[in-house]
Amino acid sequence: MASLRCFLRSGKNAMAALQRSGFHSSAPAAVQMMVRDALNQAMDEELERDERVFLLGEEVAQYDGAYKVSRGLWKKYGDQRIIDTPISEMGFTGIAVGAAFAGLRPICEFMTFNFSMQAIDQVINSAAKTCYMSAGFQAVPIVFRGPNGSSAGVAAQHSQCFAAWYAHCPGLKVVSPWNSEDAKGLLKAAIRDDNPVVFMENELMYGVPFEMSEEALSKDFVLPIGKAKIERPGNHVTLVSHSRCVGHCLDAAAVLAKEGIECEVINLRSIRPMDTDAIEASVMKTNHLVTVEGGWPQFGVGAEICAKIMEGPAFNYLDAPVTRVTGVDIPMPYAKILEDNSVPQIKDIIFSIKKTLNV
Amino acid sequence: MSVLIEYFLNITDLVSHELPHFEGLFSRRSLRRCVSLHCDLHGLEEGPADTAVLTRDQGLSYYRCMQTIRRMELKADQLYKQKIIRGFCHLYDGQEACAAGIEAGIERTDHVITAYRAHAFTYTRGVSVREILAELTGRQGGVAKGKGGSMHMYAPHFYGGNGIVGAQVPLGAGIALACQYQGNGQICVALYGDGAANQGQLFETYNMAALWKLPCVFVCENNRYGMGTSVERAAASTDYYKRGDFIPGLRVDGMDVLCVREATKFAADHCRSGKGPILMELQTYRYHGHSMSDPGVSYRTREEVQEVRSKNDPISLLKERMLSNNMASAEELKEIDGEIRKEVDDAAQFATSDPEPPLDDLCKYIYHNSPPVQVRGTNPWAKLQSVSSS
């Protein structure tokens, strides 16, 4: 089933890659890469490119990363550049920010973003606000990265999505990749960015393979922060999503295509700054908007999109109110049946689209 | 441990023709005075050297520095009462010897970070009184162009000015990590107060700093009160120099600029030699309350404040030492006072007349080196554009 899902998601990309490369007669050597390996490659390349870049966090060095994202980096770069920290989030996050003040370019890993709450003062008050408070004198080139949102069976304290929390704050950039290309291109961009970037990965995506174009495999493949990607064009309804839910949207779109409903699926890639123009342009074409996220509904990413659409030119093109598909407004339960029904499923997306289209 | 302070005259002063009116006053021999100064040690076999040299130039320099800080803080008090300065204003008068002594004990290329009682360090790290006062009054000529205010002033190798109690300590250790990483032989001095000493993130920082031997001098400015809470009511152990546990520590009189300087030099050498972090407690006192909204007398007596002022004032201490050892004359010091008064008055004049930042500055410097992004104003039609620094 996983491989079928994989094909569903990557099918479009494979066709595009084939057409782009111009080899219509023989299949190109398509490289499959898992999201974790794309992240690994991004960090490896940036560590090599700039000696000021270093990684710190719990288990990032000798354990190869709690989720093996930093596998091999310690062996290659050593103690000075890949640093195992004690379990001291507030302390090591502050240390990372201080290092960024003084000329280094740290990558600060949170084992999951749930633990970032221990350190959130350093992220917001010491990192995000400093460039502004100092009138541009003190830049803070730092990346905070780690898995965000729900996983599988890890229960309430380990399943929260922090997209809305961090994206609320000026001074931060907040990025949420979906596939391997996103992961690599956006992480490289985040590391090269001179500002604090919150980079939200997803644990369930780490092991999912995607096709990587030749361009994406190159050492200078960088995606712009603040630009969304249209993963699938369509005319009837706009689906806007980020992270893992993008895959669910594409799956829902594939099912609906058989019924003659063509969904335009937008992968936000960046939550802050958000590519409002892309959403508006799409809505002005399709006249219907459905947002899909894993996080809670109140004050969330979908809520923000609704507000933005209301305030902009696309409002007059809506034939129906915007629909938000979100996680259920509860702490994440443990039992599988409950957990499965706490997050948007493909059937919820299909149902919501049909309601929005009134079909 | 007693410390001998040796005073002698800078030989060039004797032959200098710049100050002809003093020729008759100075002895042509070096003068020595034994002064017993207390230094408590924790985890250290030896403390700072037991002799220190104070030259006339140094003495005048420290005097000028401390007096400028004093006058600047008192001017800020005045401007605050006139409602020209607003919001938070945490004044440093009484603690001058700490800032002056630390700056005297480190190199210009070393790094300093402190909490919100930061005006003095902003000055010692090279920002003019003008730019500090103009920042307090929120003008475009302020060191942070009016964007930061009292608690958020920055300069090369000076990282503020931090509003969240204790947050500056891990930041300081991070700066030290950068020094170690870059192998530049520099150290970081990370200051905090007796109140912040109970913050958990300090202990996390001590652990990592010791583990990784970060070249960080942790300095506790113990002024006996964390806002309105005396040390006895806040800390199970008020031996702040011992709170680093496995980190060696020393405690000195923070009202004596020479003690602070010597302790700082000792601590800086310790770090620079690769031995790892060290903790320094400076016993000091603030005359003002915690901030301008605190009269400072509900939790301590006026007599206590008066006692420190009359017996232990850092500027008076230095002045008396210099006068009684013929290192300077009263007239000379008075002349310096006059110069400082003028400097501070001019700075205040600038701070009150400089224009406020233009509204265009609202969305400037949210980011660094970044393409402009649209910034939402107070209403949907207020579409502003960010301008990044570069």
Side-chain angles (χ1 to χ4, degrees):
Chain A
M1 200 55 205
S3 52
L4 176 60
R5 284 226 179 92
C6 196
F7 173 75
L8 280 168
R9 279 183 221 123
S10 62
K12 207 83 181 83
N13 290 342
M15 286 310 293
L18 269 169
Q19 278 152 8
R20 257 185 279 122
S21 67
F23 290 112
H24 298 289
S25 48
S26 55
V31 176
Q32 292 265 311
M33 187 179 266
M34 287 190 219
V35 171
R36 74 157 53 79
D37 296 324
L39 294 166
N40 187 286
Q41 194 176 84
M43 287 197 283
D44 191 358
E45 288 172 4
E46 294 306 301
L47 282 157
E48 193 176 273
R49 177 180 178 268
D50 188 338
E51 59 187 19
R52 298 169 299 173
V53 175
F54 72 100
L55 172 67
L56 89 167
E58 293 156 13
E59 310 302 341
V60 297
Q62 297 191 18
Y63 198 85
D64 274 335
Y67 302 99
K68 306 299 177 222
V69 176
S70 53
R71 176 169 40 211
L73 296 179
W74 174 65
K75 269 213 177 76
K76 185 171 175 184
Y77 294 101
D79 285 330
Q80 194 196 41
R81 303 194 64 201
I82 313 293
I83 303 175
D84 275 337
T85 65
I87 307 172
S88 309
E89 274 77 5
M90 198 163 186
F92 73 67
T93 306
I95 284 176
V97 176
F101 283 175
L104 299 184
R105 305 187 70 92
I107 305 168
C108 177
E109 179 178 303
F110 293 119
M111 197 181 279
T112 77
F113 266 97
N114 301 284
F115 313 147
S116 74
M117 284 199 283
Q118 308 245 310
I120 201 165
D121 174 67
Q122 295 288 2
V123 177
I124 306 301
N125 282 319
S126 302
K129 298 178 184 172
T130 293
C131 187
Y132 189 83
M133 292 192 294
S134 68
F137 181 82
Q138 180 64 69
V140 193
I142 188 168
V143 176
F144 302 102
R145 52 160 288 274
N148 178 57
S150 62
S151 180
V154 295
Q157 291 178 345
H158 289 74
S159 303
Q160 189 170 331
C161 175
F162 287 87
W165 282 39
Y166 287 115
H168 185 58
C169 300
L172 287 179
K173 296 189 185 181
V174 180
V175 167
S176 186
W178 164 56
N179 63 10
S180 300
E181 221 177 79
D182 289 353
K184 183 178 171 192
L186 291 172
L187 185 53
K188 283 167 78 75
I191 294 167
R192 294 186 192 192
D193 201 305
D194 287 340
N195 297 284
V197 181
V198 172
F199 190 89
M200 299 182 305
E201 302 158 9
N202 185 288
E203 202 222 314
L204 296 172
M205 296 304 293
Y206 281 153
V208 180
F210 289 93
E211 255 191 37
M212 289 283 273
S213 65
E214 213 172 290
E215 192 204 345
L217 291 168
S218 86
K219 279 191 178 168
D220 281 307
F221 176 66
V222 173
L223 287 173
I225 292 177
K227 287 270 165 278
K229 183 181 177 203
I230 298 177
E231 297 288 348
R232 182 195 192 283
N235 285 317
H236 298 130
V237 59
T238 301
L239 300 182
V240 179
S241 188
H242 72 100
S243 190
R244 188 156 178 263
C245 287
V246 173
H248 298 327
C249 288
L250 287 168
D251 294 344
V255 172
L256 286 170
K258 296 198 193 94
E259 297 177 42
I261 298 172
E262 293 300 327
C263 304
E264 179 147 289
V265 177
I266 298 182
N267 171 7
L268 277 175
R269 286 179 163 174
S270 287
I271 315 294
R272 183 178 188 114
M274 193 185 284
D275 194 349
T276 315
D277 289 346
I279 305 173
E280 282 175 340
S282 178
V283 171
M284 296 201 282
K285 184 175 73 170
T286 67
N287 311 120
H288 298 86
L289 177 56
V290 176
T291 70
V292 184
E293 68 197 285
W296 294 318
Q298 294 198 38
F299 307 93
V301 175
E304 176 62 20
I305 293 172
C306 285
K308 280 182 153 75
I309 290 298
M310 287 233 289
E311 290 181 352
F315 173 72
N316 289 313
Y317 290 75
L318 284 173
D319 286 347
V322 179
T323 297
R324 296 178 295 164
V325 179
T326 70
V328 178
D329 204 8
I330 52 173
M332 180 68 73
Y334 167 68
K336 188 162 196 315
I337 187 172
L338 296 179
E339 186 182 62
D340 287 347
N341 285 281
S342 301
V343 291
Q345 300 182 44
I346 296 170
K347 64 173 171 68
D348 299 318
I349 302 172
I350 293 172
F351 172 82
S352 300
I353 292 169
K354 286 185 169 173
K355 283 288 253 187
T356 309
L357 291 172
N358 205 18
V359 297
Chain B
M1 168 182 283
S2 55
V3 180
L4 281 168
I5 302 285
E6 197 177 278
Y7 300 96
F8 57 88
L9 305 163
N10 190 322
I11 212 74
T12 57
D13 287 332
L14 297 172
V15 300
S16 159
H17 295 289
E18 286 161 19
L19 303 159
H21 46 294
F22 294 124
E23 265 167 38
L25 288 173
F26 293 140
S27 156
R28 306 248 161 182
R29 311 188 308 275
S30 62
L31 296 168
R32 290 160 192 262
R33 284 287 180 274
C34 291
V35 181
S36 189
L37 290 150
H38 201 61
C39 178
D40 296 312
L41 297 177
H42 166 75
L44 285 166
E45 294 284 306
E46 284 176 343
D50 48 9
T51 53
V53 168
L54 176 72
T55 68
R56 192 181 116 83
D57 280 352
Q58 286 169 346
L60 290 174
S61 158
Y62 305 156
Y63 180 84
R64 187 181 279 276
C65 178
M66 293 197 288
Q67 191 69 291
T68 306
I69 295 168
R70 176 68 59 90
R71 291 274 132 232
M72 175 177 74
E73 296 295 79
L74 292 179
K75 180 59 72 175
D77 168 275
Q78 195 184 30
L79 292 171
Y80 196 93
K81 285 170 177 154
Q82 293 174 307
K83 295 198 188 332
I84 299 170
I85 295 176
R86 46 187 275 278
F88 286 131
C89 193
H90 306 86
L91 298 178
Y92 199 75
D93 49 315
Q95 300 186 210
E96 293 87 354
C98 297
I102 286 171
E103 189 63 33
I106 58 174
E107 303 295 324
R108 213 80 189 96
T109 45
D110 288 327
H111 308 260
V112 175
I113 189 170
T114 186
Y116 47 76
R117 203 175 299 281
H119 309 159
F121 290 97
T122 315
Y123 176 71
T124 56
R125 286 266 97 191
V127 179
S128 67
V129 179
R130 248 166 98 90
E131 281 188 289
I132 295 171
L133 289 182
E135 186 59 34
L136 294 178
T137 56
R139 307 302 164 101
Q140 65 186 16
V143 64
K145 303 187 172 66
K147 292 299 231 356
S150 169
M151 301 185 293
H152 307 295
M153 303 197 212
Y154 302 79
H157 293 215
F158 176 61
Y159 306 84
N162 288 275
I164 307 298
V165 172
Q168 75 277 13
V169 177
L171 293 173
I175 294 161
L177 184 138
C179 294
Q180 185 188 64
Y181 188 106
Q182 292 163 335
N184 53 28
Q186 294 161 8
I187 62 156
C188 182
V189 179
L191 295 117
Y192 57 95
D194 47 278
N198 300 315
Q199 271 266 312
Q201 56 188 318
L202 262 68
F203 298 91
E204 293 189 6
T205 305
Y206 294 156
N207 181 40
M208 285 181 274
L211 206 55
W212 301 330
K213 289 193 158 46
L214 300 181
C216 194
V217 179
F218 298 109
V219 180
C220 178
E221 286 180 296
N222 176 5
N223 62 15
R224 306 196 213 166
Y225 299 93
M227 209 156 149
T229 306
S230 68
V231 293
E232 302 81 40
R233 294 203 302 127
S237 163
T238 55
D239 289 333
Y240 296 102
Y241 70 112
K242 289 184 183 171
R243 298 281 289 277
D245 190 9
F246 35 76
I247 295 184
L250 62 160
R251 176 171 63 188
V252 294
D253 179 5
M255 305 305 258
D256 185 333
V257 68
L258 287 179
C259 282
V260 177
R261 185 190 78 183
E262 293 309 304
T264 305
K265 272 191 185 155
F266 174 82
D269 286 343
H270 176 101
C271 288
R272 254 185 264 280
S273 63
K275 294 193 187 118
I278 188 167
L279 208 159
M280 199 166 87
E281 180 187 340
L282 303 175
Q283 291 182 307
T284 184
Y285 199 84
R286 53 164 163 82
Y287 296 144
H288 270 85
H290 163 71
S291 72
M292 285 305 296
S293 2
D294 170 27
V297 286
S298 62
Y299 48 87
R300 56 185 190 175
T301 62
R302 282 183 214 273
E303 289 74 42
E304 180 188 287
V305 184
Q306 216 12 66
E307 170 128 9
V308 178
R309 229 191 246 282
S310 55
K311 294 196 180 135
N312 242 348
D313 183 272
I315 300 175
S316 302
L317 244 90
L318 178 64
K319 183 173 175 179
E320 273 147 36
R321 271 209 187 120
M322 292 190 69
L323 290 177
S324 62
N325 287 285
N326 291 326
M327 297 182 82
S329 74
E331 289 79 35
E332 188 181 7
L333 294 179
K334 207 165 170 194
E335 200 178 309
I336 294 176
D337 288 348
E339 283 165 17
I340 293 170
R341 188 163 284 121
K342 183 169 189 316
E343 183 187 343
V344 173
D345 283 344
D346 284 351
Q349 176 55 29
F350 173 72
T352 46
S353 60
D354 198 47
E356 288 189 288
L359 282 182
D360 284 342
D361 271 11
L362 208 56
C363 299
K364 265 188 174 162
Y365 315 130
I366 301 168
Y367 293 128
H368 185 77
N369 258 350
S370 217
V373 287
Q374 201 171 79
V375 176
R376 214 261 195 201
T378 59
N379 62 73
W381 296 273
K383 290 192 173 75
L384 311 167
Q385 279 279 98
S386 76
V387 175
S388 79
S389 44
S390 48

mmCIF file of all heavy atoms in Angstrom, chain B residues 35 41 56 116 139 144 162 168 184 201 225 233 240 256 316 339 343 356 364:
data_model
loop_
_atom_site.group_PDB
_atom_site.id
_atom_site.type_symbol
_atom_site.label_atom_id
_atom_site.label_comp_id
_atom_site.label_asym_id
_atom_site.label_seq_id
_atom_site.Cartn_x
_atom_site.Cartn_y
_atom_site.Cartn_z
ATOM 1 N N VAL B 35 46.781 47.272 51.108
ATOM 2 C CA VAL B 35 45.347 47.277 51.380
ATOM 3 C C VAL B 35 44.892 45.840 51.439
ATOM 4 O O VAL B 35 45.181 45.040 50.547
ATOM 5 C CB VAL B 35 44.569 48.009 50.265
ATOM 6 C CG1 VAL B 35 43.092 48.027 50.580
ATOM 7 C CG2 VAL B 35 45.099 49.419 50.087
ATOM 8 N N LEU B 41 37.351 31.960 47.573
ATOM 9 C CA LEU B 41 37.600 31.034 46.460
ATOM 10 C C LEU B 41 36.792 29.759 46.593
ATOM 11 O O LEU B 41 36.521 29.287 47.698
ATOM 12 C CB LEU B 41 39.089 30.656 46.424
ATOM 13 C CG LEU B 41 40.084 31.784 46.178
ATOM 14 C CD1 LEU B 41 41.499 31.248 46.251
ATOM 15 C CD2 LEU B 41 39.835 32.447 44.842
ATOM 16 N N ARG B 56 48.499 56.252 37.317
ATOM 17 C CA ARG B 56 47.692 57.483 37.322
ATOM 18 C C ARG B 56 46.724 57.501 36.150
ATOM 19 O O ARG B 56 45.546 57.815 36.305
ATOM 20 C CB ARG B 56 48.627 58.693 37.251
ATOM 21 C CG ARG B 56 47.976 59.996 37.530
ATOM 22 C CD ARG B 56 49.015 61.118 37.399
ATOM 23 N NE ARG B 56 48.669 62.019 36.315
ATOM 24 C CZ ARG B 56 47.806 63.032 36.441
ATOM 25 N NH1 ARG B 56 47.213 63.259 37.586
ATOM 26 N NH2 ARG B 56 47.525 63.795 35.406
ATOM 27 N N TYR B 116 19.143 43.274 31.711
ATOM 28 C CA TYR B 116 18.478 44.522 31.343
ATOM 29 C C TYR B 116 19.067 45.763 31.975
ATOM 30 O O TYR B 116 18.781 46.872 31.558
ATOM 31 C CB TYR B 116 16.992 44.425 31.710
ATOM 32 C CG TYR B 116 16.786 43.903 33.100
ATOM 33 C CD1 TYR B 116 16.997 44.717 34.208
ATOM 34 C CD2 TYR B 116 16.440 42.574 33.312
ATOM 35 C CE1 TYR B 116 16.865 44.238 35.494
ATOM 36 C CE2 TYR B 116 16.297 42.080 34.604
ATOM 37 C CZ TYR B 116 16.511 42.913 35.693
ATOM 38 O OH TYR B 116 16.378 42.410 36.958
ATOM 39 N N ARG B 139 14.623 57.908 20.036
ATOM 40 C CA ARG B 139 14.848 58.758 18.871
ATOM 41 C C ARG B 139 15.644 58.021 17.815
ATOM 42 O O ARG B 139 16.303 57.014 18.084
ATOM 43 C CB ARG B 139 15.605 60.040 19.276
ATOM 44 C CG ARG B 139 14.955 60.789 20.416
ATOM 45 C CD ARG B 139 13.526 61.193 20.107
ATOM 46 N NE ARG B 139 12.815 61.571 21.297
ATOM 47 C CZ ARG B 139 12.588 62.831 21.677
ATOM 48 N NH1 ARG B 139 13.029 63.831 20.945
ATOM 49 N NH2 ARG B 139 11.931 63.080 22.793
ATOM 50 N N ALA B 144 20.044 51.900 18.764
ATOM 51 C CA ALA B 144 19.222 50.936 18.038
ATOM 52 C C ALA B 144 18.128 51.656 17.256
ATOM 53 O O ALA B 144 17.061 51.090 17.006
ATOM 54 C CB ALA B 144 18.613 49.914 18.996
ATOM 55 N N ASN B 162 19.299 42.289 27.527
ATOM 56 C CA ASN B 162 18.366 41.198 27.289
ATOM 57 C C ASN B 162 17.269 41.277 28.327
ATOM 58 O O ASN B 162 17.553 41.420 29.511
ATOM 59 C CB ASN B 162 19.088 39.854 27.408
ATOM 60 C CG ASN B 162 20.020 39.615 26.230
ATOM 61 O OD1 ASN B 162 19.628 39.131 25.169
ATOM 62 N ND2 ASN B 162 21.281 40.000 26.403
ATOM 63 N N GLN B 168 20.183 35.444 28.949
ATOM 64 C CA GLN B 168 21.465 35.890 28.405
ATOM 65 C C GLN B 168 22.609 34.940 28.758
ATOM 66 O O GLN B 168 23.671 34.979 28.131
ATOM 67 C CB GLN B 168 21.797 37.312 28.897
ATOM 68 C CG GLN B 168 22.249 37.422 30.340
ATOM 69 C CD GLN B 168 21.096 37.454 31.335
ATOM 70 O OE1 GLN B 168 19.952 37.158 30.997
ATOM 71 N NE2 GLN B 168 21.393 37.805 32.590
ATOM 72 N N ASN B 184 39.899 31.843 18.224
ATOM 73 C CA ASN B 184 40.448 33.200 18.190
ATOM 74 C C ASN B 184 40.979 33.692 19.537
ATOM 75 O O ASN B 184 41.370 34.853 19.657
ATOM 76 C CB ASN B 184 39.390 34.183 17.655
ATOM 77 C CG ASN B 184 38.085 34.093 18.423
ATOM 78 O OD1 ASN B 184 38.069 33.743 19.604
ATOM 79 N ND2 ASN B 184 36.976 34.404 17.755
ATOM 80 N N GLN B 201 17.935 27.575 33.533
ATOM 81 C CA GLN B 201 18.783 27.537 32.344
ATOM 82 C C GLN B 201 20.235 27.860 32.660
ATOM 83 O O GLN B 201 21.140 27.515 31.894
ATOM 84 C CB GLN B 201 18.241 28.463 31.256
ATOM 85 C CG GLN B 201 18.037 29.911 31.657
ATOM 86 C CD GLN B 201 17.312 30.688 30.558
ATOM 87 O OE1 GLN B 201 17.610 30.534 29.377
ATOM 88 N NE2 GLN B 201 16.354 31.522 30.933
ATOM 89 N N TYR B 225 19.378 42.267 45.981
ATOM 90 C CA TYR B 225 17.924 42.219 45.790
ATOM 91 C C TYR B 225 17.581 41.854 44.360
ATOM 92 O O TYR B 225 18.094 42.460 43.412
ATOM 93 C CB TYR B 225 17.289 43.588 46.115
ATOM 94 C CG TYR B 225 17.504 44.015 47.538
ATOM 95 C CD1 TYR B 225 18.582 44.825 47.892
ATOM 96 C CD2 TYR B 225 16.649 43.569 48.562
ATOM 97 C CE1 TYR B 225 18.800 45.193 49.208
ATOM 98 C CE2 TYR B 225 16.863 43.930 49.876
ATOM 99 C CZ TYR B 225 17.944 44.735 50.204
ATOM 100 O OH TYR B 225 18.164 45.102 51.505
ATOM 101 N N ARG B 233 15.701 35.664 50.930
ATOM 102 C CA ARG B 233 14.339 35.164 50.696
ATOM 103 C C ARG B 233 14.221 34.415 49.383
ATOM 104 O O ARG B 233 13.191 33.819 49.094
ATOM 105 C CB ARG B 233 13.334 36.326 50.697
ATOM 106 C CG ARG B 233 13.205 37.013 52.042
ATOM 107 C CD ARG B 233 11.872 37.747 52.189
ATOM 108 N NE ARG B 233 11.670 38.733 51.156
ATOM 109 C CZ ARG B 233 10.587 38.790 50.371
ATOM 110 N NH1 ARG B 233 9.630 37.894 50.494
ATOM 111 N NH2 ARG B 233 10.463 39.746 49.466
ATOM 112 N N TYR B 240 26.755 32.732 45.820
ATOM 113 C CA TYR B 240 26.556 32.592 44.383
ATOM 114 C C TYR B 240 27.803 32.111 43.651
ATOM 115 O O TYR B 240 27.693 31.466 42.610
ATOM 116 C CB TYR B 240 26.038 33.914 43.790
ATOM 117 C CG TYR B 240 24.679 34.269 44.347
ATOM 118 C CD1 TYR B 240 24.537 35.237 45.346
ATOM 119 C CD2 TYR B 240 23.534 33.601 43.909
ATOM 120 C CE1 TYR B 240 23.297 35.528 45.885
ATOM 121 C CE2 TYR B 240 22.283 33.896 44.445
ATOM 122 C CZ TYR B 240 22.172 34.858 45.432
ATOM 123 O OH TYR B 240 20.950 35.139 45.972
ATOM 124 N N ASP B 256 34.818 47.913 44.551
ATOM 125 C CA ASP B 256 36.211 48.320 44.399
ATOM 126 C C ASP B 256 36.651 47.982 42.974
ATOM 127 O O ASP B 256 36.819 46.820 42.626
ATOM 128 C CB ASP B 256 37.066 47.585 45.422
ATOM 129 C CG ASP B 256 38.502 48.032 45.414
ATOM 130 O OD1 ASP B 256 38.998 48.504 44.359
ATOM 131 O OD2 ASP B 256 39.161 47.910 46.456
ATOM 132 N N SER B 316 33.665 57.251 45.109
ATOM 133 C CA SER B 316 34.334 57.879 46.255
ATOM 134 C C SER B 316 35.548 57.072 46.683
ATOM 135 O O SER B 316 36.601 57.620 46.997
ATOM 136 C CB SER B 316 33.387 57.990 47.447
ATOM 137 O OG SER B 316 32.257 58.719 47.088
ATOM 138 N N GLU B 339 33.720 68.260 32.853
ATOM 139 C CA GLU B 339 33.690 67.792 31.458
ATOM 140 C C GLU B 339 32.580 66.761 31.263
ATOM 141 O O GLU B 339 31.857 66.785 30.270
ATOM 142 C CB GLU B 339 35.037 67.153 31.097
ATOM 143 C CG GLU B 339 36.129 68.169 30.832
ATOM 144 C CD GLU B 339 37.521 67.533 30.849
ATOM 145 O OE1 GLU B 339 37.626 66.295 30.749
ATOM 146 O OE2 GLU B 339 38.499 68.298 30.966
ATOM 147 N N GLU B 343 29.320 66.757 28.907
ATOM 148 C CA GLU B 343 29.092 65.684 27.940
ATOM 149 C C GLU B 343 27.683 65.109 28.115
ATOM 150 O O GLU B 343 26.959 64.905 27.130
ATOM 151 C CB GLU B 343 30.135 64.579 28.147
ATOM 152 C CG GLU B 343 30.041 63.442 27.138
ATOM 153 C CD GLU B 343 30.979 62.275 27.479
ATOM 154 O OE1 GLU B 343 31.913 62.464 28.289
ATOM 155 O OE2 GLU B 343 30.762 61.177 26.938
ATOM 156 N N GLU B 356 11.976 61.604 16.433
ATOM 157 C CA GLU B 356 11.608 60.195 16.574
ATOM 158 C C GLU B 356 11.829 59.503 15.234
ATOM 159 O O GLU B 356 11.859 60.167 14.194
ATOM 160 C CB GLU B 356 10.139 60.082 16.977
ATOM 161 C CG GLU B 356 9.887 60.497 18.417
ATOM 162 C CD GLU B 356 8.467 60.176 18.848
ATOM 163 O OE1 GLU B 356 7.546 60.869 18.382
ATOM 164 O OE2 GLU B 356 8.285 59.229 19.640
ATOM 165 N N LYS B 364 11.156 48.022 9.125
ATOM 166 C CA LYS B 364 12.562 47.837 8.739
ATOM 167 C C LYS B 364 13.235 46.848 9.674
ATOM 168 O O LYS B 364 13.000 46.856 10.879
ATOM 169 C CB LYS B 364 13.293 49.178 8.853
ATOM 170 C CG LYS B 364 13.368 49.948 7.567
ATOM 171 C CD LYS B 364 14.280 51.163 7.749
ATOM 172 C CE LYS B 364 14.488 51.867 6.420
ATOM 173 N NZ LYS B 364 14.977 53.237 6.592
#
